[in-house]
Amino acid sequence: MHSPSHVYPQAAQAFRHFFQELREAYLERETLFTQIELALLSREHVLVVGPPGTAKSAIASSVLGRIVDEKTGLPSLFAKQIAESTVQTDLIGPVDFKVLTETGRTEFITEDGMLGATHAFLDEVFDGRDMLLRSILNVLHERELKHGRRVTSGRIECAIMTSNRYLSEVLARSPELLLAFADRLSFISFVPKSFARRPSRAAMLHRFAFNLRPDLRANLTLQHLDVLQEAVERVTVSSHLLEAIEMLADELERALAAQVSKLPDYVPTKYFSQRSVVKALWALKAAVVRDQLYRRPDRPLEATVEDLDALRWFFLLGGPQAEEAELLLKVAVDPRERAQLEIVRIEQKAFDAALAKVRAELGTGVEREAASLGAAEDLKAVEALSRNFQPGIVSTTAQRLRTKLVPGPRHPDNRVALLGAARGLLAAVEQRVARGPIEGSEARPGLIVFSALADTLALCRLTPELRPRLGALCDSVARFIVQALEVMALNAESLAFDETVALESLIGLADNLAEELGRVGELLALLAEGRSGAVGWLRSSEVEARRRVVAALRQRATSAFPGTRGRRDPLDALAADSRRLAQLEQALCRLDPEQRGLKQELLQPLGFAYVRDVLSTTPFDRIDQLTRTVQSVAENLRREGLAPEPVFAECREILDTRLREYVSQLGREVASPPPAPQAAASGEAYNFYRGDFSNLVRDGELAALIGLDGQLAFARPPSASFFLSEAIHESVARVELSFVQTRLKYLRSWLTQLLSSLPAPQNIQSRATADQVFDRLVKSRFPLLTLKEGELVRIKGVLGQLTAMSGDLGESARKLENVLRGIDDDFSRFSRQLLELRASL
């Protein structure tokens, strides 16, 4: 929205008077004021460096402190002197403790910080810590504060930052920090220690001698700046000048880099990035408005080649003008001062040379751009397509033309040839789609054809001159897609008549069709922009084709998958088919997510065969060995993506049969001859019990069976108490009961023989005799078996499982508990009496 005609002249006059008054008050600061003016007009920031006593802070305060809001008469200014102790909240605003205490969230009152003001003055900015300075840069550049999920926008437009340090000092301390400043700030200025001209020094002394303070009365408001900033936004920059900005940035970067190689101590003060080139555009627009304000009030708001000279204040370190710099170098003593003045002089010369070269080359811009565009090659490629259509070349040509035409060449003459090539490409594509989807030896159009159509539609849609042809092109492509979808569905359905198609071929075909249908979906999205009315019909055709393709592929997969045969290892067969079916299911799921389960359906019969083979043939000597086999088989099924529940439910009878056979062999009667008196006391009875006897009496199988049944609980029928039959549980329990009875019979005989061979404790009269009896008891190793090895406790646990069973089995177990208790009581009573006797003698 443009300002009323009388407002702009008022704002222009106020701006001129404001800065003319400042220039009269602060002598030989022309460059700094120019950069500040450009910064205010373009809403950018200024960094001012130089030794103390050069009025940097006074100038910043005199500028920003006197730009007032006409509504309040007050400036919108945030001012802060930075120190090492300055923290983030000093700049962005204090923490809102009300929000913190009520919600636990940390928020800031940004209205009290620099985001809450239009202008900011940060004095001695490099005295802060690096992390603080980086946060300042981010806030000033983004004009917002990001804190967690919360983003707070600010009003800040222009900040002036000052420092008493030379740039060389900042660079030595933190080169990355200086580059960050140079990249985010549009204007950097150096203020020298002294004046170049004697009249300036004399005027300064005269003012101080007579206490003549600057009389600054000119009025400038935020509303005046708004009007002028709006004018900056209206400045037009031709493509010709946009190219010039890029050329100038590139040439200046090369020129300054060459100075680095010549002068090792020189470091450029501008970081050339894409961000800096964009900021240069706004600096140029601001320079156009400034020139209108001061020199040519009647000039149009359109940048010209002559305006490029003003970019020196953006690209270079601002400082004394060339003549003043030479005069200052003659009298400067401080090496840091001389170094900064040398930088100013070097960069000014480099800019002048770069600008002269750019101006000379701008005249040849049309020819240079034409050579880089290579439109003749595109025309040649399009002519070849009219004779021999190749979809790959269509895609690359369409992409290349789109890149060149959008946004387009800077010079309109170069657009004509490119448009000719693009129209020829559209004609070639229209001829191809008119011939239908099948051409040559291909069974269907294929991914490359759909990609070519998508790239052509994108070119037509994004190029304004081609857009009138978009509707007709969309219609012809839509007809082509409908035919192509029918061909794709028929192509898949023809597999029912081709018995040579293997599973691997189906996987590749499903992957290809999924990619092609996916590209068709992208094409439909493009067609929606040109012919939205046809999209519903096309999507219905695409859904129907996808349904037919999936049904045909699944049907053929079912008939083409016999399972792997001929391998000796059933697990190898299962793993190989699992991989192939997983690939096929994944490919089908790309076509239709509802196709999950195909692998399970086709692989399950092979899983049955694998489990039946393993469970029927794997030998085992103990039930816990069978348990490990079952666990391994279940894990293998899960690893291959098969649910083990139905497979093991199917194989339950196999496990029952194997266990019945095992129990029948296990349940034969084991002889339990009582040990001889000598063997009972010598330890031979212990060796027999732990050796040959235990090998024959394999108790613990009931616990192993319960563990196995628990392992198979996942396949247990809902109404059953066990997976394995109750008959198996009872058979194993009876064998276990028999073995426990045999053990107890042997232990009872052993203990009776042992105690019979030893004198009763009450008949022992001396310590020596007691020690002899004790040694003979230890030598028998019965205490070792019962106390240290806990054999009686172990048997008691087995009997506890057996007593829980119903019927005569449980009753028999309870009787054996009495036998066990008698053995334990007899041994405990004898050993306790013997130990008490030894202690008393």
Side-chain angles (χ1 to χ4, degrees), residues 99-255:
V99 173
L100 182 63
T101 55
E102 292 179 356
T103 67
R105 297 195 311 270
T106 302
E107 295 183 7
F108 300 93
I109 306 176
T110 54
E111 191 64 25
D112 294 344
M114 58 184 176
L115 284 174
T118 305
H119 299 138
F121 170 38
L122 304 179
D123 199 12
E124 296 302 336
V125 67
F126 289 125
D127 285 358
R129 289 170 293 180
D130 283 2
M131 289 302 297
L132 176 72
L133 302 184
R134 292 182 190 279
S135 67
I136 291 174
L137 282 180
N138 289 334
V139 170
L140 291 180
H141 177 67
E142 302 291 342
R143 268 82 171 185
E144 62 185 19
L145 175 66
K146 296 184 179 70
H147 187 76
R149 296 181 180 179
R150 186 180 179 86
V151 178
T152 304
S153 299
R155 301 202 306 269
I156 186 71
E157 290 184 359
C158 175
I160 298 179
M161 289 162 276
T162 63
S163 174
N164 286 334
R165 304 186 186 194
Y166 289 92
L167 285 183
S168 56
E169 295 175 327
V170 179
L171 184 67
R173 168 191 167 190
S174 181
E176 296 84 2
L177 183 62
L178 180 58
L179 288 178
F181 265 86
D183 190 35
R184 288 171 173 80
L185 304 184
S186 291
F187 305 98
I188 303 179
S189 190
F190 165 63
V191 180
K193 181 184 298 184
S194 59
F195 293 120
R197 296 181 175 85
R198 288 183 179 274
S200 300
R201 291 196 291 271
M204 179 191 69
L205 290 173
H206 177 75
R207 290 175 181 177
F208 276 96
F210 294 96
N211 197 24
L212 300 175
R213 296 182 177 275
D215 186 15
L216 301 176
R217 298 183 180 182
N219 178 50
L220 183 63
T221 68
L222 294 174
Q223 288 70 23
H224 289 146
L225 281 182
D226 290 340
V227 172
L228 300 179
Q229 290 165 349
E230 182 184 339
V232 171
E233 295 172 1
R234 297 200 308 271
V235 173
T236 60
V237 182
S238 65
S239 58
H240 185 68
L241 279 182
L242 291 175
E243 180 185 21
I245 293 174
E246 291 184 26
M247 293 170 59
L248 180 59
D250 293 342
E251 185 60 35
L252 184 59
E253 185 176 18
R254 283 192 292 269

Side-chain angles (χ1 to χ4, degrees), residues 198-431:
R198 288 183 179 274
S200 300
R201 291 196 291 271
M204 179 191 69
L205 290 173
H206 177 75
R207 290 175 181 177
F208 276 96
F210 294 96
N211 197 24
L212 300 175
R213 296 182 177 275
D215 186 15
L216 301 176
R217 298 183 180 182
N219 178 50
L220 183 63
T221 68
L222 294 174
Q223 288 70 23
H224 289 146
L225 281 182
D226 290 340
V227 172
L228 300 179
Q229 290 165 349
E230 182 184 339
V232 171
E233 295 172 1
R234 297 200 308 271
V235 173
T236 60
V237 182
S238 65
S239 58
H240 185 68
L241 279 182
L242 291 175
E243 180 185 21
I245 293 174
E246 291 184 26
M247 293 170 59
L248 180 59
D250 293 342
E251 185 60 35
L252 184 59
E253 185 176 18
R254 283 192 292 269
L256 295 180
Q259 294 297 329
V260 173
S261 62
K262 296 178 183 177
L263 302 171
D265 294 335
Y266 168 67
V267 177
T269 56
K270 176 61 75 173
Y271 178 70
F272 292 86
S273 68
Q274 295 302 319
R275 181 188 288 127
S276 65
V277 174
V278 172
K279 287 182 177 293
L281 170 63
W282 285 96
L284 180 66
K285 289 186 173 189
V288 170
V289 172
R290 183 179 179 277
D291 182 68
Q292 187 187 63
L293 295 177
Y294 282 104
R295 294 178 58 243
R296 294 181 290 168
D298 296 331
R299 71 164 291 173
L301 293 179
E302 180 180 348
T304 65
V305 174
E306 289 71 23
D307 295 312
L308 293 174
D309 186 74
L311 287 180
R312 70 175 64 246
W313 311 128
F314 170 81
F315 279 118
L316 308 182
L317 172 64
Q321 299 179 10
E323 181 182 347
E324 293 175 348
E326 294 293 341
L327 293 173
L328 288 169
L329 275 169
K330 292 179 180 179
V331 298
V333 177
D334 189 327
R336 297 174 300 171
E337 181 88 0
R338 293 189 61 84
Q340 293 291 268
L341 290 169
E342 285 287 356
I343 289 175
V344 171
R345 183 169 66 173
I346 288 172
E347 291 188 349
Q348 289 287 349
K349 290 182 178 180
F351 181 88
D352 291 339
L355 182 58
K357 187 173 182 179
V358 169
R359 285 175 170 170
E361 291 183 359
L362 277 177
T364 61
V366 176
E367 294 79 6
R368 188 165 14 87
E369 185 184 58
S372 65
L373 288 173
E377 297 177 5
D378 295 323
L379 284 168
K380 188 183 298 183
V382 170
E383 290 174 0
L385 287 173
S386 63
R387 298 187 297 272
N388 180 22
F389 188 87
Q390 297 184 45
I393 295 179
V394 171
S395 283
T396 56
T397 305
Q399 293 170 9
R400 193 165 58 244
L401 286 171
R402 188 175 71 221
T403 302
K404 296 174 182 178
L405 285 167
V406 182
R410 288 192 172 91
H411 303 286
D413 292 345
N414 289 330
R415 191 174 182 85
V416 175
L418 293 174
L419 287 172
R423 292 188 177 98
L425 182 67
L426 293 186
V429 170
E430 288 168 343
Q431 292 173 10

Side-chain angles (χ1 to χ4, degrees), residues 535-591:
V535 172
W537 165 57
L538 288 172
R539 290 205 182 278
S540 297
S541 300
E542 188 265 343
V543 170
E544 176 61 18
R546 189 179 291 269
R547 184 196 64 77
R548 291 170 60 187
V549 164
V550 169
L553 290 175
R554 184 164 185 136
Q555 181 181 8
R556 183 61 189 133
T558 303
S559 60
F561 177 71
T564 307
R565 300 292 181 263
R567 292 193 182 98
R568 289 179 297 175
D569 188 344
L571 181 58
D572 286 347
L574 182 68
D577 285 325
S578 174
R579 286 192 296 271
R580 295 191 303 157
L581 289 174
Q583 292 170 352
L584 178 60
E585 182 179 287
Q586 184 178 11
L588 288 179
C589 285
R590 291 178 60 193
L591 288 163

Side-chain angles (χ1 to χ4, degrees), residues 486 488-497 547-549 551-553:
E486 179 66 20
M488 292 165 71
L490 292 172
N491 191 245
E493 290 169 346
S494 70
L495 296 172
F497 302 94
R547 184 196 64 77
R548 291 170 60 187
V549 164
L553 290 175

Side-chain angles (χ1 to χ4, degrees), residues 615-761:
L615 296 184
S616 300
T617 61
T618 303
F620 62 94
D621 295 326
R622 302 294 296 262
I623 292 179
D624 58 0
Q625 294 176 357
L626 180 61
T627 301
R628 288 194 290 272
T629 299
V630 167
Q631 182 179 6
S632 175
V633 168
E635 289 175 354
N636 289 337
L637 289 176
R638 291 190 182 97
R639 185 174 63 247
E640 301 305 334
L642 273 177
E645 293 86 352
V647 180
F648 275 94
E650 186 78 13
C651 297
R652 179 187 179 203
E653 186 58 36
I654 295 175
L655 287 170
D656 266 13
T657 302
R658 295 294 306 277
L659 286 168
R660 277 195 299 270
E661 294 172 354
Y662 171 73
V663 172
S664 66
Q665 297 174 4
L666 189 66
R668 64 183 180 276
E669 187 175 349
V670 178
S672 176
Q678 182 63 30
S682 66
E684 292 180 15
Y686 173 86
N687 293 335
F688 175 75
Y689 184 85
R690 282 301 189 207
D692 296 341
F693 185 78
S694 290
N695 291 334
L696 295 173
V697 183
R698 300 179 188 173
D699 53 0
E701 293 298 79
L702 179 59
L705 181 72
I706 294 172
L708 173 59
D709 206 284
Q711 191 75 246
L712 291 165
F714 60 80
R716 180 190 304 161
S719 59
S721 301
F722 305 106
F723 173 82
L724 298 166
S725 67
E726 293 187 10
I728 289 295
H729 279 266
E730 184 174 348
S731 298
V732 173
R734 291 192 179 280
V735 171
E736 189 80 13
L737 182 68
S738 174
F739 285 158
V740 171
Q741 186 177 11
T742 302
R743 284 187 181 275
L744 290 177
K745 181 179 178 182
Y746 183 86
L747 290 173
R748 178 75 269 179
S749 299
W750 180 8
L751 181 61
T752 300
Q753 294 281 9
L754 177 61
L755 296 182
S756 299
S757 67
L758 299 174

